[in-house]
């Protein structure tokens, strides 16, 4: 299911781009959606009592998927996937690491990723950009602020998603003024 879910999320975004072109011609507002995908155990089916039932899903994996969807707005990306989904589908899709987060309701942290494209369709531009992004993120996690800042500035010039890199550049500037605690592990705790 993880492969199908990520494929569907990427296809949804492709179709949305087509719709937006049509909407622009009609002077309609653009539509933006965020998609959160996570893999794990859950309960699926009719839940409730004999008086009121609903077909639904319950479980920690579902909750994380929902949190990831909400975080797409914070990171200015269209799709976020959890670590388990990324591990299952990494041979098929090109991913860039987005952050290490501890979401509301969870005691442990998780790495989150953005799927870019099917690996077999990845252009040299995307391969280079993702490699540089991984270097930038590793430098950030190892508190090599100057190196991370240089990489994120380069990425900002390469990518149309400037807001994602502004987010990391702002964090780096804040950490240069007030360093994180000695035991900092790179985890960000979002408010959503």
């Amino acid at each position: 299911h993880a492969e199908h879910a990520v494929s569907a999320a990427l296809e949804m975004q492709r179709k949305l781009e087509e719709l937006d072109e049509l909407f622009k011609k009609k002077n309609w507002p653009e539509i933006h959606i965020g998609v959160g995908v996570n893999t794990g155990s859950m309960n699926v089916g009719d839940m409730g009592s004999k008086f009121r039932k609903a077909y639904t899903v319950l479980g920690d994996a579902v909750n994380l998927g929902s949190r990831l969807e909400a975080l797409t707005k914070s990171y200015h990306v269209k799709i976020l996937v959890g670590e388990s989904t990324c591990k299952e589908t990494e041979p098929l899709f090109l991913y860039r690491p987005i952050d290490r987060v501890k979401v509301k309701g969870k005691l442990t942290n998780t790495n989150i990723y953005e799927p870019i494209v099917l690996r077999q369709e990845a252009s040299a531009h995307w391969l280079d950009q993702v490699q540089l992004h991984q270097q930038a993120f590793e430098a950030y996690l190892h508190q090599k602020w100057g190196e991370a800042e240089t990489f994120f500035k380069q990425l900002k010039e390469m990518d149309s998603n400037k807001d994602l890199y502004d987010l990391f550049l702002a964090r780096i500037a804040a950490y240069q003024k007030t360093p994180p605690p000695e035991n900092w592990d790179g985890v960000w705790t979002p408010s959503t």
Side-chain angles (χ1 to χ4, degrees), residues 101-131:
V101 297
K102 185 184 295 183
V103 297
K104 189 175 177 181
K106 296 235 350 145
L107 299 175
T108 58
N109 61 54
T110 187
N111 294 318
I112 58 176
Y113 302 86
E114 178 188 20
I116 305 295
V117 68
L118 279 166
R119 276 198 187 273
Q120 65 191 24
E121 296 175 5
S123 65
H125 168 80
W126 269 118
L127 292 170
D128 291 344
Q129 189 172 327
V130 167
Q131 182 179 7

Side-chain angles (χ1 to χ4, degrees), residues 91-159:
L92 302 169
F93 300 100
L94 180 65
Y95 286 99
R96 69 175 159 189
I98 296 298
D99 210 350
R100 183 179 288 168
V101 297
K102 185 184 295 183
V103 297
K104 189 175 177 181
K106 296 235 350 145
L107 299 175
T108 58
N109 61 54
T110 187
N111 294 318
I112 58 176
Y113 302 86
E114 178 188 20
I116 305 295
V117 68
L118 279 166
R119 276 198 187 273
Q120 65 191 24
E121 296 175 5
S123 65
H125 168 80
W126 269 118
L127 292 170
D128 291 344
Q129 189 172 327
V130 167
Q131 182 179 7
L132 183 59
H133 184 95
Q134 288 171 328
Q135 290 174 304
F137 190 62
E138 283 299 314
Y140 168 80
L141 291 176
H142 290 100
Q143 300 182 41
K144 296 178 182 175
W145 306 128
E147 191 177 320
E149 183 178 33
T150 300
F151 289 147
F152 282 125
K153 283 181 178 177
Q154 288 175 0
L155 286 160
K156 188 175 173 179
E157 295 301 314
M158 297 171 71
D159 194 349

Side-chain angles (χ1 to χ4, degrees), residues 13-166:
Q13 296 298 342
R14 274 193 285 271
K15 290 292 183 188
L16 198 54
E17 288 173 13
E18 291 174 18
L19 278 177
D20 279 341
E21 288 301 314
L22 176 68
F23 283 17
K24 283 179 190 174
K25 290 176 185 172
K26 295 184 176 197
N27 288 328
W28 293 354
E30 291 182 22
I31 298 174
H32 300 279
I33 63 167
V35 180
V37 179
N38 192 44
T39 303
S41 297
M42 60 193 76
N43 293 315
V44 180
D46 285 324
M47 309 279 177
S49 68
K50 65 181 181 177
F51 301 106
R52 183 171 178 194
K53 284 186 183 179
Y55 188 84
T56 190
V57 290
L58 299 171
D60 195 45
V62 176
N63 294 341
L64 181 54
S66 177
R67 301 284 184 211
L68 294 176
E69 181 272 328
L71 285 174
T72 60
K73 295 176 195 80
S74 300
Y75 290 98
H76 309 280
V77 297
K78 297 175 181 181
I79 307 167
L80 283 174
V81 304
E83 202 166 352
S84 56
T85 303
C86 181
K87 283 180 183 174
E88 275 194 41
T89 61
E90 198 165 17
L92 302 169
F93 300 100
L94 180 65
Y95 286 99
R96 69 175 159 189
I98 296 298
D99 210 350
R100 183 179 288 168
V101 297
K102 185 184 295 183
V103 297
K104 189 175 177 181
K106 296 235 350 145
L107 299 175
T108 58
N109 61 54
T110 187
N111 294 318
I112 58 176
Y113 302 86
E114 178 188 20
I116 305 295
V117 68
L118 279 166
R119 276 198 187 273
Q120 65 191 24
E121 296 175 5
S123 65
H125 168 80
W126 269 118
L127 292 170
D128 291 344
Q129 189 172 327
V130 167
Q131 182 179 7
L132 183 59
H133 184 95
Q134 288 171 328
Q135 290 174 304
F137 190 62
E138 283 299 314
Y140 168 80
L141 291 176
H142 290 100
Q143 300 182 41
K144 296 178 182 175
W145 306 128
E147 191 177 320
E149 183 178 33
T150 300
F151 289 147
F152 282 125
K153 283 181 178 177
Q154 288 175 0
L155 286 160
K156 188 175 173 179
E157 295 301 314
M158 297 171 71
D159 194 349
S160 61
N161 185 356
K162 311 235 181 275
D163 293 332
L164 172 64
Y165 301 113
D166 283 340

Side-chain angles (χ1 to χ4, degrees), residues 170-182:
R171 284 189 199 170
I172 289 167
Y175 286 140
Q176 286 174 324
K177 287 180 184 171
T178 308
E182 196 172 302

